[in-house]
Amino acid sequence: MKVSEVKEYQCETCGSKYRTEGAARLCESKPLTQDRGVQKGDKVRIIRGDGQGLATVEGRHVYDLEWGHYAWERYWHTVGLTAKCDEGFGHRQLTFDDYELVPVDTTVTKA
Ligand SMILES: [Zn+2]
């Protein structure tokens, strides 16, 4: 029996794994965009899809080349968010065009 090892090359921006170094380098050459500086705990307003309204940011991630295949490369290396909808819809994964920023001082506090 002969043992063969498969080498993988990983893009350090989005974490995608590739069979060839060239493919990984191509992925890394794509700049990171749509970083709007939103951090965990910030409020955003969901403007598309389910749970529209205020939401609390739970995390950030970077989309890979494959994400949203119907919109070819639109989300490649863009910053996305996971958020909990304040109105109780649940949790959502948000692409940059699913939300808008909410200034902290206009957030309404419920009594
Ligand atoms: Zn990548």
Side-chain angles (χ1 to χ4, degrees):
M1 184 183 73
K2 190 176 164 188
V3 177
S4 74
E5 287 181 28
V6 178
K7 222 175 207 177
E8 283 184 327
Y9 300 86
Q10 188 170 22
C11 170
E12 291 195 47
T13 304
C14 67
S16 289
K17 289 174 181 172
Y18 296 95
R19 289 282 183 80
T20 67
E21 190 178 337
R25 285 199 190 284
L26 177 67
C27 199
E28 284 191 351
S29 72
K30 176 86 175 174
L32 185 69
T33 60
Q34 302 294 344
D35 186 354
R36 294 151 85 177
V38 180
Q39 299 296 333
K40 187 178 176 182
D42 287 354
K43 295 281 185 189
V44 293
R45 186 185 309 281
I46 300 173
I47 55 171
R48 251 180 25 156
D50 297 322
Q52 289 185 29
L54 290 178
T56 306
V57 176
E58 297 175 307
R60 292 157 52 93
H61 54 269
V62 176
Y63 286 109
D64 64 17
L65 170 62
E66 303 284 322
W67 208 90
H69 55 88
Y70 53 86
W72 180 243
E73 296 186 3
R74 176 173 169 79
Y75 299 106
W76 186 12
H77 285 186
T78 61
V79 174
L81 305 174
T82 48
K84 184 180 188 312
C85 304
D86 289 358
E87 299 305 318
F89 177 82
H91 301 263
R92 270 201 64 189
Q93 197 177 110
L94 303 170
T95 55
F96 68 86
D97 45 7
D98 282 338
Y99 71 93
E100 60 184 24
L101 303 177
V102 178
V104 175
D105 57 349
T106 61
T107 304
V108 178
T109 309
K110 281 182 184 170

